[in-house]
């Protein structure tokens, strides 16, 4: 069997994993064998890898707005009782906020115990300008779009969700007269899911290019200086993923954490390599609905909402970073300050979308609230790219875990699909030479 034949027989998960490992290897090799070589930099690092990686991320982002809109309209237009939506909303937001508070509390406790900032060397260079933390009032008002087209053009997820919900409810309320619009959206949703499947086929190459470029360029020196901070943050992130989410799945929904984690592999790898919860929305949606058996009614609402308001990994970084910076600068924080950190980090995660690096912007808001110097951010910036990847994986795992819990409690989770290890394991192959087969044959 040739290498190409073997490659085509692999599952998508294995292909993405191979792409990722091969990318890391290529990056490390190129920085070792050709450090700063202008040819390699021009044609590979900033050439081929940049182009493929950027196209991959752009294609994922391209899916997000139409996918959220069509699937959420589909989810709501089949509703018989719009009040169930209110219950779903309260439950989801409640659990999202609860997990974020638990996450940041674990992070702060871990950091107070290990003291990562004690004796840290203070070599902050760049300065950081903080934006104001969004107030709860503004976050709530900002959820309503004055112009839905504008909301879609700017990718404002909360506003798109709000409009899609109202639009879907109105279709349902229109009865027979709204049927055609409902059918149109059902069909659009099918087409969007096909588009996701189509683009998944380029994922292994996209992931390879992203990793190859990142590992050629990334500064490893900073990690050695901040080893305690780095290891502690990774440890609390993994603890939250394995302990908090897994016990919640078991206790609140009676679901097997092992099955859940196994089926999350693809989504976790995507989140890890893109460092963006937003760009991972299509894969998270596909995972919870096709592999974990959550109905579209729940997943179309909880996943985009989670990618925007539920960023536990990011909140944990802010908890550890705040303690780290306060220790590094020798500034004591009291109980009240820590409560402020929890509140601000939670609010900041509600008001900011999940895109790469946004955690640092949110950290600036948190530091400002408790009067810590913003130069502290420069201390940890060097290691943030790698940590961003890990925390994004935690962010989306949290969204999917809460989605399963909410779906189970609403009777919207198909247990057979959840427990079936084979459910949607093979990627949907799209034969580009024989499109429209059903109609023409
Ligand atoms: N990259 C993260 C996300 O998209 C946000 C962050 O922590 O910077 O979820």
């Amino acid at each position: 069997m040739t290498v190409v034949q073997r490659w085509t027989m692999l599952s998508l998960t294995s292909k993405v994993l191979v792409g990722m490992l091969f990318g890391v290897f290529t990056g490390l090799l190129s920085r070792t064998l050709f450090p700063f070589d202008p040819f390699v930099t021009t044609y590979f690092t900033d050439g081929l890898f940049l182009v493929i990686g950027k196209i991959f991320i752009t294609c994922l982002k391209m899916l997000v707005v139409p996918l959220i809109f069509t699937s959420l309209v589909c989810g709501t237009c089949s509703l018989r009782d719009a009040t169930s939506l209110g219950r779903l909303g309260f439950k989801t937001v409640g659990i999202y906020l609860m997990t974020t508070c638990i996450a940041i509390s674990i992070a702060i406790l871990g950091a107070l115990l290990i003291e990562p900032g004690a004796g840290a060397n203070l070599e902050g260079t760049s300065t950081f300008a903080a934006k104001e933390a969004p107030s709860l009032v503004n976050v709530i008002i900002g959820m309503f779009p004055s112009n839905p087209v504008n909301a879609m053009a700017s990718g404002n997820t909360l506003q798109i969700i709000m409009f899609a919900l109202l639009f879907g409810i109105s279709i349902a309320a229109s009865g027979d007269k709204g049927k055609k619009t409902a059918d149109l959206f059902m069909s659009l949703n099918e087409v969007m899911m096909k588009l996701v499947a189509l683009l998944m086929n380029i994922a292994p190459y996209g992931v390879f290019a992203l990793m190859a470029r990142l590992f050629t360029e990334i500064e490893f020196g900073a990690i050695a200086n901040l080893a305690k901070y780095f290891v502690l943050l990774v440890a609390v992130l993994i603890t939250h993923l394995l302990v908090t989410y897994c016990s919640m799945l078991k206790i609140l929904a009676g679901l097997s954490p092992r099955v859940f984690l196994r089926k999350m592999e693809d989504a976790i790898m995507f989140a890890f390599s893109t460092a963006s919860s937003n760009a991972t929305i299509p894969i998270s949606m596909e995972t919870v609905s096709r592999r974990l058996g959550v109905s579209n009614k729940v997943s179309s609402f909880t996943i985009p909402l989670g990618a925007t308001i539920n960023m536990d990994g990011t909140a944990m970084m802010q908890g550890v970073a705040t303690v780290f910076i306060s220790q590094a600068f020798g500034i004591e924080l009291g109980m009240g300050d820590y409560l402020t950190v929890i509140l601000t980090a939670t609010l900041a995660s509600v008001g900011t979308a999940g895109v790469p690096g946004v955690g640092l912007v949110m950290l600036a808001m948190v530091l400002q609230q408790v009067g810590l110097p913003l130069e502290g951010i420069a201390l940890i910036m060097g290691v943030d790219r790698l940590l961003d990847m890990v925390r994004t994986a935690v962010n989306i795992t949290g969204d999917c875990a809460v989605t399963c819990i909410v779906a189970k409690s609403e009777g919207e989770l198909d247990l057979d699909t959840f427990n079936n290890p084979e459910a949607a394991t093979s990627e949907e192959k799209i034969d580009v030479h024989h499109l429209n087969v059903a109609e023409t044959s």
Side-chain angles (χ1 to χ4, degrees):
M1 208 188 283
T2 65
V3 177
V4 177
Q5 279 169 330
R6 270 181 209 217
W7 173 250
T8 41
M9 284 178 67
L10 288 179
S11 69
L12 181 70
T13 309
S14 314
K15 281 184 187 164
V16 175
L17 190 63
V18 171
M20 200 155 106
L21 296 178
F22 200 52
V24 173
F25 178 71
T26 309
L28 294 177
L29 200 69
S30 100
R31 70 186 293 142
T32 319
L33 297 183
F34 314 104
F36 309 111
D37 184 311
F39 180 82
V40 173
T41 309
T42 313
Y43 292 101
F44 288 94
T45 318
D46 290 340
L48 194 65
F49 299 158
L50 178 72
V51 172
I52 299 178
K54 273 260 185 286
I55 291 178
F56 172 57
I57 297 265
T58 308
C59 286
L60 286 177
K61 288 192 194 156
M62 167 182 88
L63 296 173
V64 172
V65 172
L67 186 64
I68 298 177
F69 188 61
T70 51
S71 68
L72 197 46
V73 170
C74 280
T76 36
C77 74
S78 55
L79 280 180
R80 294 191 187 284
D81 171 14
T83 52
S84 63
L85 206 61
R87 195 182 56 230
L88 182 70
F90 270 113
K91 223 185 260 181
T92 312
V93 173
I95 306 183
Y96 276 156
L97 292 181
M98 185 182 84
T99 55
T100 307
C101 287
I102 296 176
I104 187 162
S105 309
I106 296 178
I108 292 179
L109 282 179
L112 286 175
L113 225 69
I114 306 289
E115 303 197 336
N121 91 41
L122 297 178
E123 270 180 32
T125 41
S126 53
T127 49
F128 223 83
K131 283 196 212 154
E132 278 284 305
S135 71
L136 187 58
V137 174
N138 284 340
V139 169
I140 295 174
I141 297 174
M143 282 163 49
F144 292 84
S146 59
N147 180 346
V149 178
N150 204 1
M152 289 187 209
S154 58
N156 187 322
T157 313
L158 290 184
Q159 294 190 348
I160 299 172
I161 291 178
M162 197 48 87
F163 181 67
L165 286 178
L166 295 172
F167 194 74
I169 292 173
S170 309
I171 295 175
S174 305
D176 278 349
K177 292 206 172 120
K179 179 91 180 38
K180 277 196 184 136
T181 314
D183 289 344
L184 172 70
F185 271 89
M186 297 287 176
S187 158
L188 272 177
N189 196 36
E190 282 301 315
V191 175
M192 280 313 302
M193 290 316 277
K194 272 280 176 278
L195 189 50
V196 175
L198 188 70
L199 291 177
M200 293 281 254
N201 287 295
I202 64 163
Y205 314 102
V207 167
F208 162 77
L210 287 175
M211 291 296 106
R213 182 158 193 268
L214 181 71
F215 279 83
T216 309
E217 293 195 323
I218 204 158
E219 280 289 335
F220 287 113
I223 298 180
N225 290 339
L226 292 166
K228 223 169 165 187
Y229 167 79
F230 189 90
V231 174
L232 172 67
L233 186 47
V234 173
V236 288
L237 285 169
I238 294 177
T239 308
H240 187 59
L241 193 150
L242 294 180
V243 179
T244 314
Y245 296 146
C246 291
S247 17
M248 280 175 68
L249 278 166
K250 191 88 205 145
I251 296 166
L252 298 181
L255 297 170
S256 157
R258 187 187 291 252
V259 173
F260 172 79
L261 288 177
R262 159 109 5 122
K263 295 192 173 194
M264 283 297 296
E265 282 169 350
D266 283 352
I268 288 180
M269 280 194 286
F270 268 78
F272 185 78
S273 36
T274 59
S276 166
S277 315
N278 251 19
T280 313
I281 288 177
I283 293 87
S284 307
M285 279 215 200
E286 161 112 358
T287 305
V288 291
S289 52
R290 288 186 63 224
R291 303 205 63 196
L292 292 163
V294 176
S295 81
N296 177 46
K297 217 183 276 175
V298 172
S299 64
S300 62
F301 172 67
T302 53
I303 293 293
L305 186 70
T308 315
I309 74 167
N310 184 48
M311 289 191 240
D312 294 357
T314 307
M316 295 190 105
M317 177 276 268
Q318 289 165 46
V320 175
T322 311
V323 177
F324 172 82
I325 291 167
S326 79
Q327 289 167 351
F329 283 90
I331 302 169
E332 285 258 332
L333 294 181
M335 195 58 198
D337 293 319
Y338 289 121
L339 286 178
T340 311
V341 171
I342 296 180
L343 205 73
T344 319
T346 309
L347 259 185
S349 78
V350 174
T352 357
V355 291
V358 78
L360 286 183
V361 179
M362 288 151 69
L363 178 62
M365 297 176 190
V366 174
L367 294 183
Q368 203 174 41
Q369 285 294 316
V370 287
L372 286 175
L374 296 182
E375 293 77 51
I377 295 178
L379 293 179
I380 54 168
M381 236 157 140
V383 289
D384 199 65
R385 184 62 179 85
L386 278 179
L387 291 170
D388 194 1
M389 295 157 76
V390 185
R391 64 181 187 250
T392 308
V394 174
N395 288 348
I396 63 109
T397 309
D399 302 341
C400 296
V402 174
T403 296
C404 290
I405 293 169
V406 171
K408 176 81 192 317
S409 75
E410 291 285 311
E412 297 284 344
L413 183 102
D414 179 357
L415 271 178
D416 290 340
T417 310
F418 185 94
N419 289 320
N420 177 6
E422 299 301 319
T425 38
S426 58
E427 87 250 45
E428 213 174 312
K429 293 236 164 42
I430 296 184
D431 183 356
V432 286
H433 300 294
H434 300 96
L435 297 172
N436 240 337
V437 177
E439 275 76 13
T440 49
S441 59

